[in-house]
């Protein structure tokens, strides 16, 4: 049974930092590309950052230089370090195990429950 469990969300002031974690089970973690998505109220889910099985990251333009994705294969975990948070980063954040095709991350079928990130003064 595939499980993705996100944690680490919370309430933070603008300019603050949070570190999200996603623990995966039921998959051969090291063979998957991993990604973080987010969904704000009334908006579609969007890809924030992804990382190949080999460890190469890619980022949405609006988070480049502020967010950092990392995978720890020995722990079946992917993290998202979020710095200099902005009001517009407020969303539910989800991780996903997927694949790469033609240099583009393709989401897999399994999603965690998400973790809420709220940036507010």
């Amino acid at each position: 049974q595939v499980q993705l469990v996100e944690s680490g969300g919370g309430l933070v002031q603008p300019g603050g930092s949070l570190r999200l974690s996603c623990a995966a089970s039921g998959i051969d973690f090291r063979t998957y590309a991993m990604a973080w998505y987010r969904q704000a109220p009334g908006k579609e889910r969007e890809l924030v950052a992804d990382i190949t099985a080999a460890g190469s990251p890619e980022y949405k333009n609006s988070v480049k230089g502020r967010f950092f994705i990392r995978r720890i294969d020995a722990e079946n975990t992917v993290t998202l370090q979020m710095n200099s948070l902005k009001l517009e980063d407020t969303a539910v954040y989800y991780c996903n195990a997927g694949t790469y095709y033609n240099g583009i991350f393709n989401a897999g079928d399994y999603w965690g429950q998400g973790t809420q990130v709220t940036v507010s003064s």
Side-chain angles (χ1 to χ4, degrees), residues 6-57:
E6 302 95 339
S7 61
L11 173 64
V12 63
Q13 292 185 339
S17 297
L18 282 174
R19 181 175 178 267
L20 307 183
S21 291
C22 171
S25 59
I27 60 172
D28 188 0
F29 183 82
R30 64 189 64 230
T31 67
Y32 279 83
M34 298 297 297
W36 285 96
Y37 285 75
R38 67 186 180 190
Q39 187 167 19
K43 295 188 176 181
E44 293 187 355
R45 192 171 297 188
E46 62 179 4
L47 179 62
V48 175
D50 57 65
I51 187 166
T52 68
S56 296

Side-chain angles (χ1 to χ4, degrees), residues 77-93:
T77 296
V78 60
T79 64
L80 186 67
Q81 177 67 42
M82 306 188 295
N83 301 325
S84 302
L85 282 160
K86 303 177 180 180
L87 297 177
E88 54 264 39
D89 295 319
T90 295
V92 179
Y93 284 71

